[in-house]
């Protein structure tokens, strides 16, 4: 795997695609100072050829990144929508959301082994598992992953991870998957509000507007079903899940900062280990108290459980490591595109009613999500673009007037030699 200086914050399983990046160091190549021979005509043609070759290479690289971006968007959209639909299908035969959460989180243990396989296949400087593990453990400090670090820096995020997934899956039991997927998009607005308050991030008016749109969308989505207790509970569960996910991200940035790809993979695998060691007792207690009870293991839809876990694992892998091949904004679009996919599936498989209020709520939340994807310097770029357009409009009339004034003179000049003859 190629070494990148980009650093990502490992996301919650039901987390929105907001990647925490640090400075990306690009490769700066020194420009060759033009010598005396380059002023000659052949050298000028050569430098022009080099420039065109660089432009062609740049365009090819950009096209390749966009192509990978489309593939990543489709993968994020299909895995997210597929896992949501499979969870809904699983609850028809296996009504145990916490057990499903525990089972899917256990698969997080595969993150670091999969990362190491990629490291062995792609990296030129191949390290052993022990060496790679020790290097990634530096993320937790000079002493590495000690028992104290495990309980102070990993365990709280394991609890938040479990709560995020459990609340999300429990909401799927109450309301349709379209409402669940679109309401969870408010996660990005909660991340901004918490980052602004806790991390003192830069204030942006457009993001405040996006947060207001998200809150308005939540209220309208609740009103769409007439404030029935069943739908209100489901909406409250989704909002709580989005809040837990936002708290996970902000606390990670506050306490741990950001992580490289190997460090992120190790951290997510540690969450899987924490789930196995300390969360396993909860599904057992729920089973014997008959809160989440099933008659026999043969009745469990293992295909749905494993399919859900694989899709969720794929979603998290692409969401955390897709930045290596494409732009973060393109990955974020996969979450938004999963909403219409779930809507189409719900239209044919359930009795969802797309009234005007629900449609407007979906549009408002989606618009707020897209506004949050704007970069911090979007206003500066917009001002520069408008300034360039104004300059071009002023230059076009001036050039047109110059062409009209020079037109008759050029005709006269061309006509003089013929008359002279």
């Amino acid at each position: 795997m190629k070494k990148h200086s980009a650093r990502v914050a490992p996301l919650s399983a039901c987390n929105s695609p907001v990647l925490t990046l640090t400075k990306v160091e690009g490769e700066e190549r020194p420009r060759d100072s033009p010598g005396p021979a380059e002023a000659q005509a052949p050298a000028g043609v050569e430098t022009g050829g080099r420039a065109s070759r660089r432009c062609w290479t740049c365009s090819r690289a950009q096209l390749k990144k966009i192509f990978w971006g489309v593939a990543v968007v489709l993968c994020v959209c299909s895995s997210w929508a597929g896992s949501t639909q499979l969870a809904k299908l699983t609850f028809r035969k296996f009504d145990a959301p916490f057990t499903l959460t525990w089972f899917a989180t256990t698969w997080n243990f595969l993150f670091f082994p999969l990362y190491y396989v990629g490291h062995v296949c792609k990296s030129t400087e191949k390290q052993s598992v022990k060496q790679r593990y020790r290097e990634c453990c530096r993320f937790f400090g000079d002493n590495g992953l000690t028992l104290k670090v495990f309980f102070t820096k990993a365990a709280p995020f394991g609890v938040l991870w479990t709560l995020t997934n459990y609340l999300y899956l429990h909401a799927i039991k109450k309301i349709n998957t379209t409402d669940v997927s679109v309401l969870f998009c408010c996660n990005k607005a909660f991340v901004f509000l918490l980052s602004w308050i806790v991390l003192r991030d830069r204030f942006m008016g457009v993001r405040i507007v996006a947060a207001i749109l998200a809150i308005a969308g939540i209220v309208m989505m609740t009103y769409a079903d007439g404030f029935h207790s069943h739908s209100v509970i489901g909406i409250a569960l989704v909002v709580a899940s989005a809040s837990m996910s936002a708290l996970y991200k902000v606390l990670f940035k506050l306490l741990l900062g950001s992580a490289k790809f190997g460090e992120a993979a190790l951290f997510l695998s540690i969450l899987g280990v924490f789930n196995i060691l300390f969360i396993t007792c909860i599904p057992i207690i729920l089973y014997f108290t008959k809160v989440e009870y099933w008659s026999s293991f043969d009745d469990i839809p293992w295909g749905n459980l494993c399919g859900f876990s694989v899709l969720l694992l794929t979603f998290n892998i692409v969401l955390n490591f897709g930045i290596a091949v494409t732009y973060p904004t393109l990955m974020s679009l996969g979450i938004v595109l999963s909403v219409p996919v779930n809507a189409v599936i719900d239209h044919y498989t359930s009795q969802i009613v797309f009234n005007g209020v629900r449609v407007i709520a979906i549009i408002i939340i989606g618009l707020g999500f897209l506004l949050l994807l704007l970069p911090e310097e979007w206003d500066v770029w917009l001002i520069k673009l408008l300034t360039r357009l104004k300059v071009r409009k002023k230059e076009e009339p001036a050039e047109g007037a110059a062409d009209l004034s020079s037109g008759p003179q050029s005709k006269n000049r061309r006509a003089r030699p013929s008359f002279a003859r």
Side-chain angles (χ1 to χ4, degrees):
M1 185 177 291
K2 294 182 180 179
K3 291 187 177 180
H4 294 266
S5 57
R7 300 168 70 90
V8 299
L11 305 182
S12 153
C14 293
N15 208 353
S16 66
V18 187
L19 293 176
T20 305
L21 303 179
T22 57
K23 184 177 178 181
V24 180
E25 299 177 359
E27 294 181 2
E28 295 182 359
R29 297 180 180 178
R31 297 180 181 178
D32 297 331
S33 58
E38 291 184 359
Q40 300 175 3
V45 175
E46 186 179 354
T47 55
R50 289 177 183 175
S52 62
R53 265 181 256 153
R54 287 178 182 176
C55 293
W56 171 245
T57 305
C58 182
S59 62
R60 284 185 63 185
Q62 290 178 349
L63 286 174
K64 185 178 180 181
K65 207 165 187 179
I66 292 173
F67 171 78
W68 277 109
V70 173
V72 167
V73 166
L74 293 176
C75 188
V76 169
C77 177
S78 58
S79 59
W80 183 239
S83 62
T84 304
Q85 293 295 331
L86 267 180
K88 188 78 171 181
L89 189 63
T90 302
F91 291 144
R92 295 178 182 177
K93 298 181 180 180
F94 185 70
D95 189 9
F98 195 94
T99 304
L100 182 59
T101 301
W102 171 85
F103 183 78
T105 306
T106 304
W107 290 56
N108 280 12
F109 178 79
L110 297 174
F111 266 98
F112 189 75
L114 291 175
Y115 164 77
Y116 182 74
V117 170
H119 165 75
V120 171
C121 294
K122 296 294 183 180
S123 180
T124 54
E125 299 178 0
K126 298 178 182 179
Q127 297 176 327
S128 64
V129 178
K130 192 174 182 179
Q131 290 175 337
R132 198 63 191 160
Y133 171 78
R134 286 182 176 177
E135 185 174 337
C136 293
C137 278
R138 294 176 185 173
F139 170 68
F140 297 101
D142 297 333
N143 296 327
L145 183 62
T146 61
L147 197 62
K148 180 181 178 181
V149 170
F150 179 82
F151 283 105
T152 57
K153 293 187 177 181
F157 294 101
V159 174
L160 288 175
W161 181 288
T162 302
L163 287 175
T164 300
N165 285 272
Y166 171 69
L167 293 171
Y168 185 86
L169 292 175
H170 197 66
I172 294 176
K173 290 177 52 182
K174 302 290 184 180
I175 56 179
N176 56 75
T177 57
T178 302
D179 292 352
V180 172
S181 59
V182 72
L183 286 169
F184 195 80
C185 290
C186 298
N187 159 276
K188 203 170 182 67
F190 298 157
V191 170
F192 162 69
L193 292 175
L194 285 175
S195 300
W196 179 41
I197 296 171
V198 178
L199 302 178
R200 304 297 176 88
D201 282 359
R202 177 188 171 188
F203 173 82
M204 290 183 64
V206 68
R207 294 187 178 178
I208 291 293
V209 173
I212 294 172
L213 290 175
I215 296 171
I218 294 171
V219 175
M220 292 185 69
M221 190 66 73
T222 309
Y223 177 75
D225 289 331
F227 292 98
H228 297 299
S229 60
H230 196 70
S231 62
V232 169
I233 292 173
I235 291 171
L237 288 171
V238 183
V239 174
S241 175
S243 302
M244 292 295 104
S245 178
L247 183 61
Y248 173 99
K249 283 190 59 61
V250 174
L251 284 180
F252 187 94
K253 191 174 181 180
L254 178 66
L255 299 177
L256 299 175
S258 55
K260 296 179 182 179
F261 293 121
E263 296 167 349
L266 178 62
F267 183 83
L268 293 170
S269 292
I270 291 172
L271 294 186
V273 174
F274 172 82
N275 180 74
I276 295 171
L277 295 178
F278 298 99
I279 307 296
T280 304
C281 59
I282 298 179
I284 296 174
I285 294 172
L286 294 176
Y287 174 78
F288 285 106
T289 55
K290 295 189 177 181
V291 176
E292 292 186 357
Y293 181 78
W294 56 94
S295 57
S296 64
F297 284 93
D298 295 334
D299 296 333
I300 299 175
W302 291 106
N304 292 342
L305 262 69
C306 293
F308 169 77
S309 302
V310 169
L311 286 175
L312 201 58
L313 181 66
T314 304
F315 171 78
N316 281 284
I317 289 174
V318 176
L319 200 62
N320 281 280
F321 307 119
I323 190 177
V325 294
T326 189
Y327 304 100
T329 304
L330 289 178
M331 294 189 298
S332 302
L333 293 177
I335 297 292
V336 181
L337 293 177
S338 67
V339 176
V341 173
N342 284 320
V344 172
I345 297 174
D346 285 346
H347 177 71
Y348 289 102
T349 59
S350 62
Q351 297 179 351
I352 183 173
V353 178
F354 288 101
N355 52 26
V357 178
R358 176 174 271 108
V359 173
I360 293 173
I362 292 173
I363 294 173
I364 287 177
I365 294 175
L367 180 61
F369 188 91
L370 294 176
L371 287 177
L372 289 166
L373 294 181
L374 292 174
E376 292 187 357
E377 298 181 353
W378 70 275
D379 50 347
V380 178
W381 295 350
L382 182 61
I383 292 172
K384 288 182 180 179
L385 179 62
L386 293 176
T387 305
R388 289 179 182 177
L389 291 175
K390 287 181 181 180
V391 171
R392 287 182 181 179
K393 286 182 179 180
K394 290 181 180 178
E395 289 178 352
E396 287 177 358
E399 290 178 358
D403 292 339
L404 290 173
S405 61
S406 62
Q409 295 178 3
S410 61
K411 287 182 180 179
N412 293 334
R413 288 175 183 173
R414 291 177 183 175
R416 284 174 186 173
S418 60
F419 282 112
R421 290 179 183 177

